[in-house]
Amino acid sequence: MRALVWHGKEDIRCDEVTDPEIEDPRDAIIRVTSCAICGSDLHLYHNFIPAMMPGDIVGHEMMGEVVEVGSGAAGSLKKGDRIVVPFTIFCGECIQCQRGNYSVCQRSNRKKEFADKVYGHSTAGLFGYSHLTGGYPGGQAEYLRVPFADKTHIKVPDGIPDETLLFLGDIFPTGWQAAVQCDIQPTDTVAVWGCGPVGQMAIRSAILLGAKQVIAIDRLPERLSMAEAGGAIPINFAEESVIERLNDLTNGQGPEKCIDAVGTESHVSFKHPDTIVDRVMQMNMLSSDRPHVLREMIYVCQPGGILSIPGVYGGIVNQFPFGLVMNKGLTIRTGQTHVNRWTDELLRMIEDKLIDPSFVVTHTADLADGPDLYRIFRDKQDSCIKVVLKP
Amino acid sequence: MKLFSRMSDIARSPGDPVVITPGPSVKPAADQMARGLGWFSLALGAFELAAPRTITRFLGMEGHENLIRAYGAREIAAGMTSLSTEKELGLWSRVFGDALDIATLMAACRYSNPKRENVALALAVVVGITLLDLGSANAQTMTHSRRKGRHRDYSDRSGFPGGAIMARGKALERQRSETTGAIR
């Protein structure tokens, strides 16, 4: 089959690979009908996430049709079922899964000993996201083996296009969880840094959850135009001061809730000298992340406020103003998304036409064009915001 | 790279797909050039740091070893940047470094310098490399830049079939009505 394979930094290729096989009774295999390139795939593309190996298949946003089911998953799935695959693999039985904390499932990371050493305690297995998270092959491929498939799936109905359902596997629940973690009140201003796909979903989620005011921060006009369409007030950080504008919009109080939908690769610019220091440190392996957005959120957030962080960070963050967090009494909520905790509610909203997540798709192409689209997405060329690939 | 992907197969389980035939690399030529120049920068920088006296002797610039060391550090910084995701910055910093090198060599190319011929040779080489750097930096900018002023307007993409105004607070209302319904 064809699959997008990581060969090294900025080197993803469409390779011919062997087909996946059922290994465990709880496995299933799907024929992938649609998959997407996620913003967090760019961290792999740039080799900022440790423990990638040449030959790893990437991709963690995918959906398709079940073509083979192991005996242990047969009660939940059957051939021909249409499913979206959540990017977090979970067993459904461990203590964390029973609490609904699926992204920290204790059993699904098959390289748990390795991850335990690095993280203290392992996170769940993830599709196509390094050997720290299990080394599972990703879904930017024609076929995908889904481990713990009896639990790790979202059944979706026929009659709704792939593009509308696909994002149930990652960016929609990720944006939703980011907003839910903010505990939004009707009087709240929610500021969202980053208007990429997760930021766009977080904006829509904050609107749906009744925020008084949602503010979107980015530098790309096309992304800001999409954010504005979703009901946000745009701030272009290349043209105006984020801190001043946020304070203006909140009568000098600062936003009550802040969402970091940027993560480890904050934009580097001479206007923000800390981003240059971060980049130099990152280049010299003295730091793994560039936390400019975190610093800005901590500085501008209203005391007693909440910082919600769906953006991916890899490891060590330098120059982190923790004294401000403590003295302002800020609450930080973060984590990989517990996808299936939210998907029943989100699917109902899609079915009831409250939201159609396909608005974010700007490019659709054949899987073979994936490597080129990684570059176009990374370089933000051709107004690219979200790429859907058809294997 | 095929060898590396074969070696990494030992980290996979038997049911995982493995590469049969790698696809073609789509790395733009500009990136491959940046990689080559990045490694060249690192090698030259290391040499300048490690053996400045060899260079000053060849150029008749004895006593300027610290300057050569500083240029070595600059080369290494430019090399690392050219090999990183900030290739454009790395290559333009190489062009800036070339200008410094040319200015330094011009100053050393005086009649009183007994190694004047060596300096002229070095100058010719640096001018050639400068042209290469300029071409590569330009290609890098052209390949990866967003074309300014050309962006699509997505102001018709609210994502809310009923409109953004109607959507405000709708999920909260549903959650509340479901909770009320459940209590009843």
Side-chain angles (χ1 to χ4, degrees), chain A residues 3 29 31 47 49 120-121 134 158 160 175 218-219 239 247 276 297 327 332 352:
Chain A
I29 288 175
R31 182 180 64 80
N47 202 16
I49 302 294
H121 298 281
D158 293 331
I160 302 176
D218 205 293
R219 71 187 169 96
E239 293 173 358
N247 281 329
I276 295 169
M297 290 200 320
N327 285 292
I332 296 178
D352 294 347

PDB file of all heavy atoms in Angstrom, chain A residues 3 29 31 47 49 120-121 134 158 160 175 218-219 239 247 276 297 327 332 352:
ATOM      1  N   ALA A   3       1.887   4.976   1.600  1.00  0.00           N
ATOM      2  CA  ALA A   3       1.798   5.660   2.898  1.00  0.00           C
ATOM      3  C   ALA A   3       2.801   6.806   2.918  1.00  0.00           C
ATOM      4  O   ALA A   3       3.811   6.764   2.203  1.00  0.00           O
ATOM      5  CB  ALA A   3       2.110   4.683   4.032  1.00  0.00           C
ATOM      6  N   ILE A  29      -8.594  -3.475  11.127  1.00  0.00           N
ATOM      7  CA  ILE A  29      -7.905  -2.754  10.038  1.00  0.00           C
ATOM      8  C   ILE A  29      -8.944  -1.965   9.260  1.00  0.00           C
ATOM      9  O   ILE A  29     -10.040  -2.475   8.973  1.00  0.00           O
ATOM     10  CB  ILE A  29      -7.133  -3.742   9.136  1.00  0.00           C
ATOM     11  CG1 ILE A  29      -5.916  -4.255   9.930  1.00  0.00           C
ATOM     12  CG2 ILE A  29      -6.663  -3.066   7.841  1.00  0.00           C
ATOM     13  CD1 ILE A  29      -5.112  -5.319   9.277  1.00  0.00           C
ATOM     14  N   ARG A  31      -9.756   0.631   5.873  1.00  0.00           N
ATOM     15  CA  ARG A  31      -9.328   1.254   4.608  1.00  0.00           C
ATOM     16  C   ARG A  31      -9.552   2.749   4.802  1.00  0.00           C
ATOM     17  O   ARG A  31     -10.682   3.178   5.043  1.00  0.00           O
ATOM     18  CB  ARG A  31     -10.169   0.721   3.443  1.00  0.00           C
ATOM     19  CG  ARG A  31      -9.763   1.280   2.079  1.00  0.00           C
ATOM     20  CD  ARG A  31     -10.635   0.701   0.973  1.00  0.00           C
ATOM     21  NE  ARG A  31     -12.038   1.086   1.115  1.00  0.00           N
ATOM     22  CZ  ARG A  31     -12.541   2.277   0.741  1.00  0.00           C
ATOM     23  NH1 ARG A  31     -11.755   3.176   0.187  1.00  0.00           N
ATOM     24  NH2 ARG A  31     -13.830   2.541   0.906  1.00  0.00           N
ATOM     25  N   ASN A  47      11.363  17.739  12.951  1.00  0.00           N
ATOM     26  CA  ASN A  47      12.166  16.901  13.840  1.00  0.00           C
ATOM     27  C   ASN A  47      12.312  17.504  15.243  1.00  0.00           C
ATOM     28  O   ASN A  47      13.359  17.386  15.881  1.00  0.00           O
ATOM     29  CB  ASN A  47      13.552  16.630  13.233  1.00  0.00           C
ATOM     30  CG  ASN A  47      14.210  15.391  13.813  1.00  0.00           C
ATOM     31  OD1 ASN A  47      13.538  14.578  14.439  1.00  0.00           O
ATOM     32  ND2 ASN A  47      15.504  15.250  13.619  1.00  0.00           N
ATOM     33  N   ILE A  49      10.111  16.638  17.638  1.00  0.00           N
ATOM     34  CA  ILE A  49       9.600  15.626  18.566  1.00  0.00           C
ATOM     35  C   ILE A  49      10.604  14.478  18.585  1.00  0.00           C
ATOM     36  O   ILE A  49      10.924  13.912  17.534  1.00  0.00           O
ATOM     37  CB  ILE A  49       8.202  15.109  18.116  1.00  0.00           C
ATOM     38  CG1 ILE A  49       7.206  16.275  18.007  1.00  0.00           C
ATOM     39  CG2 ILE A  49       7.682  14.025  19.051  1.00  0.00           C
ATOM     40  CD1 ILE A  49       6.849  16.970  19.294  1.00  0.00           C
ATOM     41  N   GLY A 120       8.387  10.175  33.190  1.00  0.00           N
ATOM     42  CA  GLY A 120       8.007   9.819  34.567  1.00  0.00           C
ATOM     43  C   GLY A 120       6.906   8.775  34.544  1.00  0.00           C
ATOM     44  O   GLY A 120       7.036   7.705  35.112  1.00  0.00           O
ATOM     45  N   HIS A 121       5.824   9.082  33.855  1.00  0.00           N
ATOM     46  CA  HIS A 121       4.759   8.112  33.617  1.00  0.00           C
ATOM     47  C   HIS A 121       4.329   8.264  32.166  1.00  0.00           C
ATOM     48  O   HIS A 121       4.221   9.385  31.676  1.00  0.00           O
ATOM     49  CB  HIS A 121       3.564   8.350  34.546  1.00  0.00           C
ATOM     50  CG  HIS A 121       3.915   8.190  36.003  1.00  0.00           C
ATOM     51  ND1 HIS A 121       4.028   6.975  36.608  1.00  0.00           N
ATOM     52  CD2 HIS A 121       4.209   9.110  36.942  1.00  0.00           C
ATOM     53  CE1 HIS A 121       4.373   7.136  37.870  1.00  0.00           C
ATOM     54  NE2 HIS A 121       4.489   8.434  38.103  1.00  0.00           N
ATOM     55  N   GLY A 134       4.560   5.097  21.521  1.00  0.00           N
ATOM     56  CA  GLY A 134       4.245   3.728  21.101  1.00  0.00           C
ATOM     57  C   GLY A 134       4.789   3.318  19.745  1.00  0.00           C
ATOM     58  O   GLY A 134       4.781   2.142  19.411  1.00  0.00           O
ATOM     59  N   ASP A 158     -23.638   7.132   7.810  1.00  0.00           N
ATOM     60  CA  ASP A 158     -23.486   7.443   6.380  1.00  0.00           C
ATOM     61  C   ASP A 158     -24.248   8.723   6.079  1.00  0.00           C
ATOM     62  O   ASP A 158     -25.060   9.190   6.876  1.00  0.00           O
ATOM     63  CB  ASP A 158     -24.067   6.293   5.542  1.00  0.00           C
ATOM     64  CG  ASP A 158     -23.247   5.017   5.690  1.00  0.00           C
ATOM     65  OD1 ASP A 158     -22.027   5.127   5.938  1.00  0.00           O
ATOM     66  OD2 ASP A 158     -23.833   3.916   5.583  1.00  0.00           O
ATOM     67  N   ILE A 160     -23.123  11.762   5.684  1.00  0.00           N
ATOM     68  CA  ILE A 160     -22.437  13.020   6.023  1.00  0.00           C
ATOM     69  C   ILE A 160     -21.039  12.928   5.403  1.00  0.00           C
ATOM     70  O   ILE A 160     -20.363  11.904   5.548  1.00  0.00           O
ATOM     71  CB  ILE A 160     -22.319  13.214   7.561  1.00  0.00           C
ATOM     72  CG1 ILE A 160     -23.712  13.189   8.212  1.00  0.00           C
ATOM     73  CG2 ILE A 160     -21.608  14.520   7.901  1.00  0.00           C
ATOM     74  CD1 ILE A 160     -23.700  13.271   9.732  1.00  0.00           C
ATOM     75  N   GLY A 175      -9.928  21.465  20.066  1.00  0.00           N
ATOM     76  CA  GLY A 175     -10.393  22.842  20.269  1.00  0.00           C
ATOM     77  C   GLY A 175     -11.491  22.912  21.318  1.00  0.00           C
ATOM     78  O   GLY A 175     -11.545  23.833  22.135  1.00  0.00           O
ATOM     79  N   ASP A 218      -3.211  36.186  15.507  1.00  0.00           N
ATOM     80  CA  ASP A 218      -2.388  35.528  14.491  1.00  0.00           C
ATOM     81  C   ASP A 218      -1.735  36.643  13.675  1.00  0.00           C
ATOM     82  O   ASP A 218      -1.898  37.821  13.990  1.00  0.00           O
ATOM     83  CB  ASP A 218      -3.247  34.613  13.599  1.00  0.00           C
ATOM     84  CG  ASP A 218      -2.455  33.480  12.968  1.00  0.00           C
ATOM     85  OD1 ASP A 218      -1.582  33.764  12.108  1.00  0.00           O
ATOM     86  OD2 ASP A 218      -2.687  32.316  13.325  1.00  0.00           O
ATOM     87  N   ARG A 219      -0.991  36.256  12.623  1.00  0.00           N
ATOM     88  CA  ARG A 219      -0.398  37.297  11.761  1.00  0.00           C
ATOM     89  C   ARG A 219      -0.794  37.100  10.307  1.00  0.00           C
ATOM     90  O   ARG A 219      -0.438  37.891   9.449  1.00  0.00           O
ATOM     91  CB  ARG A 219       1.123  37.298  11.892  1.00  0.00           C
ATOM     92  CG  ARG A 219       1.770  36.104  11.268  1.00  0.00           C
ATOM     93  CD  ARG A 219       3.240  35.971  11.518  1.00  0.00           C
ATOM     94  NE  ARG A 219       3.659  34.666  11.081  1.00  0.00           N
ATOM     95  CZ  ARG A 219       4.181  34.403   9.891  1.00  0.00           C
ATOM     96  NH1 ARG A 219       4.402  35.366   9.035  1.00  0.00           N
ATOM     97  NH2 ARG A 219       4.506  33.175   9.549  1.00  0.00           N
ATOM     98  N   GLU A 239       1.091  43.598  13.244  1.00  0.00           N
ATOM     99  CA  GLU A 239       0.741  44.999  13.003  1.00  0.00           C
ATOM    100  C   GLU A 239       0.424  45.774  14.274  1.00  0.00           C
ATOM    101  O   GLU A 239       0.400  47.002  14.270  1.00  0.00           O
ATOM    102  CB  GLU A 239      -0.472  45.061  12.063  1.00  0.00           C
ATOM    103  CG  GLU A 239      -0.148  44.553  10.663  1.00  0.00           C
ATOM    104  CD  GLU A 239      -1.391  44.448   9.792  1.00  0.00           C
ATOM    105  OE1 GLU A 239      -2.507  44.724  10.287  1.00  0.00           O
ATOM    106  OE2 GLU A 239      -1.232  44.071   8.612  1.00  0.00           O
ATOM    107  N   ASN A 247      -5.764  44.490  26.345  1.00  0.00           N
ATOM    108  CA  ASN A 247      -6.168  45.324  27.484  1.00  0.00           C
ATOM    109  C   ASN A 247      -7.247  46.333  27.065  1.00  0.00           C
ATOM    110  O   ASN A 247      -8.200  46.576  27.806  1.00  0.00           O
ATOM    111  CB  ASN A 247      -4.951  46.025  28.091  1.00  0.00           C
ATOM    112  CG  ASN A 247      -4.156  45.071  28.984  1.00  0.00           C
ATOM    113  OD1 ASN A 247      -4.726  44.168  29.592  1.00  0.00           O
ATOM    114  ND2 ASN A 247      -2.854  45.253  29.042  1.00  0.00           N
ATOM    115  N   ILE A 276      13.768  35.098  19.530  1.00  0.00           N
ATOM    116  CA  ILE A 276      15.087  34.844  18.929  1.00  0.00           C
ATOM    117  C   ILE A 276      15.960  34.071  19.918  1.00  0.00           C
ATOM    118  O   ILE A 276      16.629  33.098  19.547  1.00  0.00           O
ATOM    119  CB  ILE A 276      15.751  36.176  18.514  1.00  0.00           C
ATOM    120  CG1 ILE A 276      14.902  36.810  17.402  1.00  0.00           C
ATOM    121  CG2 ILE A 276      17.181  35.953  18.036  1.00  0.00           C
ATOM    122  CD1 ILE A 276      15.270  38.208  17.070  1.00  0.00           C
ATOM    123  N   MET A 297       0.625  35.002  27.369  1.00  0.00           N
ATOM    124  CA  MET A 297      -0.647  34.670  28.027  1.00  0.00           C
ATOM    125  C   MET A 297      -0.547  34.923  29.530  1.00  0.00           C
ATOM    126  O   MET A 297      -1.453  35.486  30.146  1.00  0.00           O
ATOM    127  CB  MET A 297      -1.003  33.190  27.811  1.00  0.00           C
ATOM    128  CG  MET A 297      -1.377  32.840  26.411  1.00  0.00           C
ATOM    129  SD  MET A 297      -2.332  31.292  26.233  1.00  0.00           S
ATOM    130  CE  MET A 297      -1.614  30.172  27.361  1.00  0.00           C
ATOM    131  N   ASN A 327       1.761  34.285  41.522  1.00  0.00           N
ATOM    132  CA  ASN A 327       1.254  35.508  42.167  1.00  0.00           C
ATOM    133  C   ASN A 327      -0.088  35.971  41.615  1.00  0.00           C
ATOM    134  O   ASN A 327      -0.869  36.595  42.330  1.00  0.00           O
ATOM    135  CB  ASN A 327       2.299  36.618  42.064  1.00  0.00           C
ATOM    136  CG  ASN A 327       3.436  36.378  43.043  1.00  0.00           C
ATOM    137  OD1 ASN A 327       3.236  36.462  44.254  1.00  0.00           O
ATOM    138  ND2 ASN A 327       4.605  36.033  42.539  1.00  0.00           N
ATOM    139  N   ILE A 332      -3.502  26.543  35.192  1.00  0.00           N
ATOM    140  CA  ILE A 332      -3.056  26.024  33.890  1.00  0.00           C
ATOM    141  C   ILE A 332      -3.707  24.665  33.658  1.00  0.00           C
ATOM    142  O   ILE A 332      -3.620  23.781  34.510  1.00  0.00           O
ATOM    143  CB  ILE A 332      -1.522  25.877  33.842  1.00  0.00           C
ATOM    144  CG1 ILE A 332      -0.858  27.255  33.981  1.00  0.00           C
ATOM    145  CG2 ILE A 332      -1.071  25.200  32.552  1.00  0.00           C
ATOM    146  CD1 ILE A 332       0.659  27.220  33.987  1.00  0.00           C
ATOM    147  N   ASP A 352     -26.979  17.759  14.111  1.00  0.00           N
ATOM    148  CA  ASP A 352     -28.038  18.773  14.257  1.00  0.00           C
ATOM    149  C   ASP A 352     -27.709  20.074  13.512  1.00  0.00           C
ATOM    150  O   ASP A 352     -28.397  21.084  13.689  1.00  0.00           O
ATOM    151  CB  ASP A 352     -28.274  19.078  15.744  1.00  0.00           C
ATOM    152  CG  ASP A 352     -28.842  17.875  16.478  1.00  0.00           C
ATOM    153  OD1 ASP A 352     -29.263  16.929  15.783  1.00  0.00           O
ATOM    154  OD2 ASP A 352     -28.830  17.862  17.727  1.00  0.00           O
TER     155      ASP A 352
END
